[in-house]
């Protein structure tokens, strides 16, 4: 059981790392093509470098960013990685903290679970909407809803995760307050 | 302000107050708002996804995070530090100066104060405490203070976020940060000189001048990075977002091929770590997009602007008040949250009062970065505490004078908009 969990965790991380790498390389490709496009003779020799073949780079990066955020929060981001306001949390007793975890966890778990159906219904119309440029990459069948599906994954996974956290806190209480040793870029 | 909006705020404060992740607190409170207003709660997800999907500038965020992580892992930071020691290590309080100069250079390569403190900051704190000339608290405090320059000098993740909420040009915002960043470096160095004479810090062993060329050559490729980035953006070679990719690519080439300090295994770890940080920042951005949607549909910024304009507030008085408010919020809130959620409230008023949005943005970002070192909630203090195990109270005891001079620099930036706007104007900014 533990091995399966560890295996899944590694797979999820590897997928996130791959998205990051592909996004980065796509950007580099995009800059490269912009300059190679000025060399009009180039496609005659290397037909692959025909600039019109690369209209999809920008949108692919956006898709990867979207997936990175929601895939990441569903499976890769740890509780301690989140931005939170913990002044109150780190100063109350362990018993109160347990109540905090159960109340906030239940709100998140239930709230996200309740929104699953209406959100999917809202995305329903997107089954018709084509992407701007990605059909050259993924084929003509791709629709916006296929890209947004990651948000549903996120809702289900995070909701389940918080039910689990609440259950753990209910059964075993909460560990001592972690030191404020989170590292986050972006600031 | 409608009942459902009050309910939304109440839920937000309650959930965030008891320690729920800010992003999820926002998400849940927006669901509460939509439900109470009788709207479709599926709208929250739609707004969130559409917002993230259409914000091209945001792509810079994960790329700058990758770039900073590669630089910290691939000895680029160490080489820069050797160069700075050879350059300014010979003066009294030398390692303090090294610390500040290194931050100035590093800030031209990374867009994140936390990356600066955790990478180059950690190494220099070890050097300062090992030399025995400085107290642990002083070493940590000066590192925290100089790390705030990181996102002021371009590139800068917080400025990208501000550009997103204010629709100002990232290029001009980046330019506007250069002089303020140098000013902050200058006041910190001034304070370091004064304190090291007063406390009579011992002199460091000076690196002989004949060594200087070797050290410079060693660090030269890394020193080129800020120049490449600035040329890329202002020479019209790349967009600011693409510049982030160029920075990451250049750091990768340097660390991997040139300095040979990066294994494939390490690179994989960097990618996972960057993905994790980007996702954690990304979800807060997403939450802020929903909250801004709600605030906008409640018409709050416009109402506020109308009120304030009706009161006939002087623009300067408004700026000062907003800055005091931001400083107070910075004591308890995270910079990302302030920039994405609080600052948009003031932007229409700035427009009405004729305050330049580039000036306002740079001042606000400087303010938020100072907020990173204000106790009790200063992320930089925590990061340094975490990576060096120097107790928080020792750091906080020494941080006050640094905080003082940074606030003085902030006041100068508020009072003299020319300090911020001079460089953008020289490059054709019409504001």
């Amino acid at each position: 059981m533990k091995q399966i969990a560890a295996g899944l965790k590694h797979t999820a991380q590897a997928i996130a790392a791959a998205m990051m790498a592909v996004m980065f390389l796509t950007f580099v490709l995009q800059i490269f093509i912009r300059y190679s496009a000025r060399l009009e003779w180039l496609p005659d020799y290397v037909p692959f470098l025909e600039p019109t073949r690369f209209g999809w780079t920008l949108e692919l990066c956006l898709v990867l960013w979207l997936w990175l955020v929601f895939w990441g929060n569903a499976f890769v981001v740890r509780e301690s990685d989140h931005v939170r306001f913990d002044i109150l949390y780190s100063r109350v007793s362990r018993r109160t903290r347990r109540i905090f975890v159960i109340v906030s966890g239940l709100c998140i778990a239930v709230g996200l679970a309740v929104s699953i159906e209406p959100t999917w219904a809202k995305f329903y119309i997107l089954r018709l909407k084509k992407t701007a440029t990605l059909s050259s990459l993924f084929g003509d069948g791709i629709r916006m809803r296929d890209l947004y599906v990651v948000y549903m994954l996120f809702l289900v996974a995070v909701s389940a995760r918080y039910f689990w956290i609440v259950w753990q806190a209910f059964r075993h209480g909460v560990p001592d307050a972690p030191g404020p040793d989170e590292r986050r870029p972006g600031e | 302000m409608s009942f459902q909006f009050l309910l939304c705020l109440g839920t937000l404060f309650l959930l965030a107050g008891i320690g729920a992740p800010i992003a999820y607190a926002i998400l849940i409170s927006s669901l509460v708002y939509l439900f109470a207003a009788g709207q479709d709660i599926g709208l929250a997800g739609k707004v969130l996804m559409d917002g993230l999907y259409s914000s091209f500038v945001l792509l810079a965020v994960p790329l700058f995070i990758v770039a900073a992580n590669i630089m910290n892992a691939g000895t680029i930071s160490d080489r820069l530090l050797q160069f700075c020691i050879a350059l300014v290590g010979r003066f009294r309080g030398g390692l303090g100066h090294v610390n500040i100069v290194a931050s100035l250079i590093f800030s031209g390569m990374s867009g994140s104060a936390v990356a600066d403190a955790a990478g180059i900051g950690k190494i220099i704190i070890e050097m300062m405490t090992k030399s025995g000339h400085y107290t642990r608290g002083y070493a940590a405090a000066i590192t925290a203070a100089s790390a705030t320059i990181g996102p002021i000098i371009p590139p800068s993740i917080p400025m990208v976020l501000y550009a997103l909420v204010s629709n100002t040009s990232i290029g001009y915002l980046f330019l506007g940060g250069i002089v303020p960043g140098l000013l902050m470096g200058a006041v910190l160095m001034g304070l370091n000189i004064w304190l090291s004479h007063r406390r009579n810090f011992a002199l460091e062993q000076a690196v002989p001048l004949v060594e200087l060329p070797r050290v410079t050559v060693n660090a030269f490729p890394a020193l080129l990075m800020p120049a490449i980035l600035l040329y890329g953006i202002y020479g019209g070679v790349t967009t600011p977002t693409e510049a982030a990719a160029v920075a990451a690519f250049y750091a990768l080439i340097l660390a991997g091929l040139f300095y040979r300090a990066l294994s494939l295994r390490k690179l994989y770890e960097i990618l996972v770590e960057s993905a994790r940080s980007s996702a954690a920042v990304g979800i807060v951005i997403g939450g802020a997009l929903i909250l801004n949607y709600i605030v906008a549909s409640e018409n709050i910024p416009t109402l506020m602007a109308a009120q304030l304009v009706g009161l006939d507030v002087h623009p300067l008085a408004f700026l000062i008040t907003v800055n005091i408010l931001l400083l107070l919020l910075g004591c308890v809130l995270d910079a990302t949250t302030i920039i994405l959620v609080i600052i948009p409230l003031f932007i229409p008023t700035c427009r009405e009062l004729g305050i330049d949005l580039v000036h306002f943005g740079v001042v606000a970002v400087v303010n938020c970065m100072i907020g990173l070192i204000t106790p009790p909630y200063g992320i930089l203090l925590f990061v340094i505490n975490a990576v060096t195990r120097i107790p928080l109270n020792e750091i906080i005891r020494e941080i006050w004078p640094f905080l003082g001079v940074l606030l003085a620099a902030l006041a100068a930036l508020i009072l003299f908009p020319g300090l911020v706007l001079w460089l953008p104007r020289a490059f054709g900014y019409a504001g």
Side-chain angles (χ1 to χ4, degrees):
Chain A
M1 184 66 195
K2 266 192 177 157
Q3 269 175 341
I4 299 176
L8 284 177
K9 195 176 116 191
H10 277 293
T11 315
Q13 287 185 351
I15 293 175
M19 288 194 239
M20 194 87 221
V22 173
M23 180 173 165
F24 170 51
L25 291 175
T26 310
F27 253 103
V28 174
L29 177 73
Q30 177 178 314
I31 301 169
F32 176 78
I33 293 295
R34 171 133 27 94
Y35 286 88
S36 75
R38 292 188 184 171
L39 308 172
E40 281 166 15
W41 48 266
L42 193 67
D44 295 340
Y45 295 93
V46 197
F48 177 72
L49 287 178
E50 172 61 44
T52 51
R53 299 171 70 129
F54 293 94
W56 45 268
T57 50
L58 181 60
E59 199 175 13
L60 180 67
C61 285
L62 284 168
V63 171
L64 285 167
W65 161 238
L66 212 58
W67 275 70
L68 190 65
V69 170
F70 293 103
W71 179 269
N73 280 290
F75 305 117
V76 182
V77 173
R78 295 163 301 210
E79 272 304 287
S80 60
D81 295 321
H82 276 297
V83 181
R84 57 177 91 225
F85 174 87
D86 53 6
I87 294 183
L88 202 61
Y89 182 84
S90 55
R91 273 176 178 62
V92 295
S93 71
R94 230 166 114 169
R95 276 183 56 174
T96 323
R97 210 177 289 145
R98 182 174 175 191
I99 299 173
F100 280 9
V101 170
I102 293 178
V103 171
S104 62
L106 268 182
C107 288
I108 296 172
V110 172
L112 295 187
V114 167
S115 76
I116 292 175
E117 201 282 319
T119 309
W120 186 238
K122 194 84 196 165
F123 288 174
Y124 186 66
I125 186 75
L126 295 174
R127 77 193 187 287
L128 300 173
K129 192 177 169 193
K130 288 189 178 186
T131 67
T133 55
L134 290 179
S135 42
S136 63
L137 208 58
F138 296 120
D140 235 3
I142 184 113
R143 294 290 182 274
M144 283 310 286
R145 191 171 71 167
D146 307 328
L147 305 178
Y148 277 22
V149 99
V150 69
Y151 186 70
M152 307 313 298
L153 206 62
F154 161 84
L155 286 181
V156 173
V158 176
S159 172
R161 185 174 181 163
Y162 275 92
F163 275 123
W164 173 250
I165 289 174
V166 168
W167 174 243
Q168 289 290 318
F170 182 72
R171 281 287 300 272
H172 310 293
V174 286
D176 280 330
D181 58 351
E182 7 172 5
R183 281 180 48 179
R184 259 182 293 112
E187 279 148 13
Chain B
M1 221 183 274
S2 62
F3 168 70
Q4 54 265 31
F5 186 65
L6 288 176
L7 209 58
C8 168
L9 282 186
T11 318
L12 176 59
F13 287 145
L14 176 78
L15 284 181
I18 62 175
I22 303 267
Y24 296 154
I26 297 178
L27 200 52
I28 298 300
S29 56
S30 69
L31 293 178
V32 167
Y33 172 85
L34 291 171
F35 181 74
Q39 296 189 45
D40 180 1
I41 60 172
L43 195 61
K46 183 81 170 36
V47 170
L48 176 62
M49 296 299 276
D50 288 347
L52 282 178
Y53 198 63
S54 57
S55 311
F56 178 57
V57 291
L58 285 179
L59 294 174
V61 175
L63 294 170
F64 279 136
I65 290 175
V66 176
N69 283 341
I70 294 177
M71 285 187 279
N72 279 337
T75 72
I76 295 178
S77 311
D78 308 61
R79 279 162 214 269
L80 275 180
L81 217 47
Q82 292 307 323
F83 169 74
C84 296
I85 291 174
L87 198 67
V88 290
R90 63 194 70 250
F91 307 111
R92 193 173 295 282
L95 284 176
H97 291 311
V98 169
N99 200 329
I100 297 161
V101 174
S103 280
L104 278 172
I105 299 174
F106 198 71
S107 70
M109 310 163 54
S110 101
S112 147
V114 170
D116 184 343
I120 215 162
K122 183 182 176 219
I123 314 172
I124 182 128
I125 290 175
E126 270 163 27
M127 290 171 136
M128 288 179 82
T129 43
K130 246 187 232 151
S131 77
H133 303 163
Y134 308 88
T135 62
R136 291 192 298 179
Y138 189 82
I142 194 170
T143 305
S146 64
T148 59
I149 304 173
I152 310 301
I153 292 185
S156 160
I157 294 175
M159 294 221 193
V160 171
L161 299 182
Y162 175 78
L164 173 78
V165 295
S166 67
N167 269 328
T168 31
S169 138
I170 304 185
Y172 290 134
L173 276 172
F174 276 8
L175 272 179
I178 294 179
V179 175
L182 295 175
L183 175 71
M184 289 162 76
V187 295
L188 288 176
M189 285 179 93
L191 180 68
N192 182 47
I193 293 175
W194 188 67
L195 284 176
S196 24
H197 277 98
R198 227 183 79 160
R199 298 194 192 175
N200 210 6
F201 288 145
L203 275 172
E204 252 78 48
Q205 182 87 44
V207 177
L209 280 176
V210 285
E211 287 280 297
L212 195 57
R214 190 186 60 80
V215 179
T216 312
V217 168
N218 205 352
F220 187 72
L223 289 171
L224 263 184
M225 169 106 79
I228 293 179
L229 285 183
L230 289 179
Y231 177 74
I233 298 173
Y234 300 105
V237 184
T238 61
T239 64
T241 320
E242 287 172 348
V246 173
F249 189 65
Y250 187 65
L252 191 63
I253 302 274
L254 270 190
L257 299 179
F258 202 78
Y259 294 147
R260 296 194 169 276
L262 202 62
S263 61
L264 274 179
R265 163 117 221 115
K266 188 80 203 161
L267 183 62
Y268 174 75
E269 280 165 20
I270 289 176
L271 285 174
V272 172
E273 204 42 57
S274 310
R276 185 176 276 145
S277 314
S278 310
V281 177
I283 194 77
V284 181
I285 299 174
L289 288 172
I290 309 183
L291 198 57
N292 291 346
Y293 168 83
I294 292 175
V295 167
S297 56
E298 288 277 316
N299 232 346
I300 294 186
T302 332
L303 287 177
M304 214 167 83
Q307 284 280 334
L308 284 166
V309 172
L311 284 176
D312 202 18
V313 188
H314 190 271
L316 192 61
F318 173 75
L319 257 184
I320 293 173
T321 320
V322 168
N323 271 283
I324 292 174
L325 184 72
L326 291 183
L327 278 173
L328 292 176
L329 286 173
C331 294
V332 290
L333 279 182
D334 171 87
T336 317
T337 318
I338 298 182
I339 294 175
L340 289 170
V341 177
I342 311 288
I343 288 183
L345 297 177
F346 301 119
I347 288 174
T349 315
C350 284
R351 275 205 199 99
E352 292 290 326
L353 293 176
I355 296 169
D356 186 274
L357 283 184
V358 168
H359 176 224
F360 181 71
V362 172
V363 166
V365 171
V366 171
N367 191 315
C368 289
M369 292 307 112
I370 294 177
L372 298 181
I373 58 167
T374 45
Y377 187 88
I379 265 294
L380 283 177
L381 306 178
F382 299 159
V383 168
I384 290 174
N385 164 256
V387 296
T388 62
R389 299 281 149 212
I390 296 174
L392 264 180
N393 57 0
E394 283 184 34
I395 310 178
I396 290 176
R397 205 182 311 140
E398 294 275 9
I399 201 82
W400 301 110
F402 293 102
L403 204 51
V405 291
L406 286 177
L407 285 177
L410 175 67
L413 294 177
I414 296 172
L415 294 175
F416 307 107
L419 285 173
V420 175
L421 293 175
W422 171 71
L423 207 53
R425 279 179 185 147
F427 275 77
Y429 179 58

